[in-house]
Structures are given as structure tokens and as C-alpha cells.
Amino acid sequence: METLLPERRIALPADSALDPRALFAPPVAEVWLEVGFGAGEHLAGQATAHPEIGMIGCEVFENGVVKLLAEINRRALGNIRLFIDDARLLIAALPEASVARAFILFPDPWPKLRHHKRRMVSAETLDRLAVILADSAELRLATDDADYLAWMLERATTHPLFEWLARGPGDWRQRPADWPATRYEQKALAAGRTPAFLRFRRRPRARGASGLQDPRK
Ligand SMILES: C[S@@+](CC[C@H](N)C(=O)[O-])C[C@H]1O[C@@H](n2cnc3c(N)ncnc32)[C@H](O)[C@@H]1O
């Protein structure tokens, strides 16, 4: 961990936007972002399946970071970089249209009404993700909490820059084959809860427009 972490850890530039592609050598075809990767099963799975993609993972939970570093070491994964702080700081620092896929899987549900403002999936986060996601980029969300599911759907399906990719009733109950399982999904299933797997597409920008203004401009 002492040697691997400094190589993989992302530090935000003090006064400029972060160029996510510059974090990877050899160069990567695209950059994907996972918020709150937990112990990193999904991140490591995607990095293994897609060595051509640069994977950025954000997590504040130290034990999870340690587990993922062990897996990076075991699988010799060169295409993962880590941001070990509040993901919203990284999302705020990324340039427009710089991310080709984003994942927020089983975010903390914060069930009490007075804590709802802490939920990671919010109108503000969706607005900011719409800025950093490229045209037609996919946003994947998962939850096993019925109230958070309704909250996510309410915000994401009414967001003007996202389109829900559900193909038919119930297809969001099946995890797509290219979506590695996580620890929280296993916990949910073991407890008899039914997870939901939501896929959204960032609508293409109108020519010459970004859809939403990047607040740094
Ligand atoms: C319920 S766990 C789910 C972990 C993993 N995605 C999974 O499915 O197993 C939520 C994770 O989000 C992380 N998290 C919460 N707030 C965060 C934030 N602001 N920035 C980065 N990670 C965060 C937590 O530390 C925790 O590991």
C-alpha cells in the first residue's frame, strides 16, 4: 500500500481543471468514473474487462481503499486511479465532457428525512455529471432501498439531459452482464431485498452548446 497508493492517488490541481486522461500511461481510450466504490469489486472487474479504459474510483472509506489496492496488486491492474476524498470535489474539478461512463452503485440511502440532503444522487450531482459526461455517455445507478429508488427515478427521469434506457417493465431488476456485482448487492440479496439497476444516457449536446453551463467558465 505504501508504494502503490502514491502512484495511484489523484491530487487535485490547485487552480486548474484536472485532465483525467493525463493520469494514465499508456494513453487510454476513455475515462470512466465510479463514485463510492466500497471494496472495489465493480471497479476492479471493469478495469480487468476493459484494459483500454482509464478507471477513476472515489472512496472515503479507508478499509475499502486498502482492499482495492490489494486487488490492483494481485491482478496487476495499471488502469485504475484513486481519489480518496469526497467524490463531489473531484466531479467539480473535471472538465466538460471528459468522462465516458459514470457509476454510483448502492450509495448510502440516508433514510431519515432530515438526512436526505446528504444523498449522493441529487439534482446538483446530476447537473454536474451532465457537464462532465460526454455526449451519449452512460450513467449507471443502483440501489436496494425503495425510497431512494423512487428518489433517483424522480430526479434522473425528469432531468432534461438524461434519458432512461429501460427497455421494458422490470428490466432494471436484472443486472446487465457487463456490470460486475458488488458487496452491497450481495448483502441486499442475502437480506431478501431486490436491487434495482438503472442506466441513463447523457443526451447529446446541441451543436455549439454544452446543455448546461460549466460553472467554471
Ligand atoms: C453503501 S456503500 C456501497 C459501496 C459499493 N458501491 C458497493 O456497492 O458495494 C457506499 C459507499 O460510498 C462511499 N461514500 C459515501 N459518500 C462518499 C463521498 N462523498 N465520496 C466518495 N465516497 C463516498 C462510502 O464510504 C461507502 O463505501
Side-chain angles (χ1 to χ4, degrees), residues 90-114:
L90 180 82
I91 292 171
L94 286 165
E96 180 156 357
S98 60
V99 172
R101 197 171 280 201
F103 310 90
I104 310 179
L105 309 182
F106 301 93
D108 298 308
W110 294 109
K112 290 183 182 156
L113 190 63
R114 70 176 187 279

Side-chain angles (χ1 to χ4, degrees), residues 34-39 41 58-61 85-88 105-108 120 182-185:
E34 182 167 346
V35 170
F37 59 72
E41 301 88 1
C58 306
E59 182 50 70
V60 290
F61 168 52
D85 204 335
D86 187 337
R88 284 167 282 215
L105 309 182
F106 301 93
D108 298 308
M120 180 58 72
T182 69
R183 186 159 305 195
Y184 268 80
E185 179 190 336

